[in-house]
């Protein structure tokens, strides 16, 4: 929040993820209108959040990687009047995102500094694949940024689309971030990294690994059932994750979902 001394400020972040928008806003994903879900979640954010320091958009922004979908997403997030950062998910095409935003747009920056904190956005996309992986250049960027942020004595939040840790749903395992050894070797060398947030799993998720919070978030579209070993939709409503970053390195966080509304959804669907 705004403060004269930004090193003492608490910074409020919002995570918006997996909106899966289409070029045509009336197209449905397993029965759900994803544009409606995003609109409702953005209204929910407006209703509950006074001042947002940044909106972290963690991928699968568009289901069809269309310019129209990216433009409509940008327009919607602009309504929150906050800095935004975008990373691609497996359904996105990074070049198309750049085309929609313009290559110099700050939403495409890798890092954001907020008082005592640094945020690093990681691209885990492997073109044409559902699973994710951090490329050598992405790992190099991460190592470089972490070194800098450590020298600057900042706490760190990482954001990436694919889950780097297993979740309870067996079917999602093959779709997770693969070859995570180097990622964990790099981050385990630091004690100022406080959380890794991700999208992709379409569900609220929280574990602690090596003193670092690992956080999944509800999508603004369809929700996956947290514990089924096969693809299964959950009746939970769309939502977002909020995070308050404290100047002493502590994080308060939670998810908030749309209430009082029933979305059209094909619960018998075997995939998406
Ligand atoms: Fe997704
Ligand atoms: Fe995904």
């Amino acid at each position: 929040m705004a403060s004269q001394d930004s090193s003492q400020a608490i910074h409020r972040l919002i995570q918006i993820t997996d909106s899966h928008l289409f070029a045509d806003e009336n197209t449905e994903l397993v029965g759900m209108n994803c544009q409606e879900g995003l609109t409702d979640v953005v209204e929910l954010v407006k209703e509950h959040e006074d001042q947002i320091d940044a909106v972290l958009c963690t991928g699968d922004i568009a289901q069809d990687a269309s310019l129209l979908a990216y433009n409509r997403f940008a327009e919607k997030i602009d309504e929150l009047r906050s800095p935004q950062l975008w990373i691609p998910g497996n359904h996105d095409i990074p070049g198309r995102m750049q085309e929609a935003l313009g290559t110099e747009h700050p939403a495409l920056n890798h890092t954001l500094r907020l008082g005592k904190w640094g945020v690093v956005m990681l691209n885990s996309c492997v073109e044409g694949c559902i699973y994710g992986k951090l490329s050598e250049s992405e790992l190099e960027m991460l190592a470089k940024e972490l070194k800098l942020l450590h020298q600057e004595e900042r706490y760190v939040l990482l954001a990436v689309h694919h889950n780097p840790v297993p979740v309870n749903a067996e079917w999602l395992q093959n779709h997770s971030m693969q070859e995570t050894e180097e990622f964990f070797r790099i981050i385990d060398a630091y004690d100022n990294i406080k959380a890794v947030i991700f999208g992709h799993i379409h569900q609220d998720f929280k574990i602690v690994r090596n003193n670092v919070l690992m956080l999944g978030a509800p999508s603004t579209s369809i929700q996956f059932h947290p514990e089924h070993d096969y693809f299964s939709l959950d009746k939970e409503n769309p939502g977002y994750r909020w995070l308050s970053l404290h100047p002493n390195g502590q994080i308060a966080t939670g998810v908030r979902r749309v209430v009082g509304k029933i979305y059209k959804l094909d619960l018998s669907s075997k995939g998406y």
Side-chain angles (χ1 to χ4, degrees):
M1 307 292 167
S3 159
Q4 301 244 293
D5 176 4
S6 71
S7 68
Q8 289 310 306
I10 297 169
H11 296 282
R12 186 77 163 182
L13 304 186
I14 299 304
Q15 181 188 8
I16 296 279
T17 200
D18 293 85
S19 48
H20 289 262
L21 300 186
F22 291 89
D24 179 349
E25 60 185 304
N26 296 312
T27 307
E28 293 172 349
L29 181 68
V30 290
M32 180 170 176
N33 182 313
C34 299
Q35 184 70 40
E36 186 186 354
L38 177 64
T39 298
D40 291 345
V41 171
V42 166
E43 289 307 311
L44 189 69
V45 173
K46 287 181 196 167
E47 198 182 313
H48 289 274
E49 308 292 338
D50 289 334
Q51 191 173 341
I52 307 166
D53 293 281
V55 182
L56 307 183
C57 306
T58 50
D60 283 356
I61 290 170
Q63 174 76 3
D64 60 4
S66 63
L67 273 181
L68 282 172
Y70 290 126
N71 288 335
R72 216 174 321 103
F73 181 81
E75 272 170 32
K76 196 38 85 183
I77 301 302
D78 281 347
E79 290 181 19
L80 296 174
R81 301 178 188 282
S82 318
Q84 49 187 285
L85 287 168
W86 292 21
I87 41 173
N90 45 296
H91 287 275
D92 294 307
I93 297 179
R96 218 49 86 60
M97 289 166 47
Q98 281 179 13
E99 209 180 324
L101 288 166
T103 42
E104 300 298 313
H105 197 288
L108 300 170
N109 289 351
H110 292 301
T111 53
L112 177 71
R113 284 167 169 78
L114 291 166
K116 289 290 290 175
W117 285 81
V119 177
V120 184
M121 308 293 284
L122 294 165
N123 176 357
S124 57
C125 283
V126 182
E127 217 176 303
C129 299
I130 301 174
Y131 69 80
K133 203 177 122 177
L134 296 172
S135 65
E136 247 167 66
S137 62
E138 207 64 13
L139 288 165
E140 266 172 37
M141 182 277 284
L142 172 66
K144 198 176 117 222
E145 293 297 342
L146 289 179
K147 197 173 168 192
L148 271 176
L149 291 166
H150 189 258
Q151 284 165 357
E152 295 167 10
E153 298 185 348
R154 288 180 211 271
Y155 301 108
V156 176
L157 175 91
L158 303 176
V160 65
H161 179 68
H162 293 85
N163 51 304
V165 287
V167 296
N168 294 330
E170 185 63 32
W171 72 276
L172 280 166
Q173 287 325 112
N174 294 337
H175 301 170
S176 307
M177 189 195 292
Q178 309 291 306
E179 299 175 30
T180 53
E181 299 81 4
E182 187 59 9
F183 171 67
F184 285 123
R185 194 190 63 75
I186 293 169
I187 72 168
D188 285 349
Y190 292 95
D191 61 4
N192 58 327
I193 301 169
K194 298 300 175 186
V196 180
I197 65 167
F198 41 87
H200 191 56
I201 61 171
H202 294 223
Q203 61 197 266
D204 182 11
F205 177 83
K206 184 178 183 178
I207 62 160
V208 180
R209 180 198 172 276
N210 199 24
N211 292 321
V212 179
L213 275 171
M214 299 275 157
L215 300 168
S219 85
T220 68
S221 58
I222 56 173
Q223 313 299 312
F224 298 155
H225 201 285
E227 276 159 13
H228 284 178
D229 288 342
Y230 47 89
F231 175 87
S232 163
L233 293 173
D234 200 357
K235 284 184 203 156
E236 291 272 20
N237 271 353
Y240 69 94
R241 176 174 289 284
W242 57 267
L243 301 120
S244 286
L245 310 183
H246 290 249
N248 63 0
Q250 288 191 335
I251 295 181
T253 185
V255 303
R256 186 169 278 124
R257 294 179 191 268
V258 174
V259 287
K261 183 165 178 175
I262 297 170
Y263 290 85
K264 195 157 82 68
L265 196 60
D266 177 10
L267 285 169
S268 65
S269 176
K270 298 281 182 283
Y272 80 112

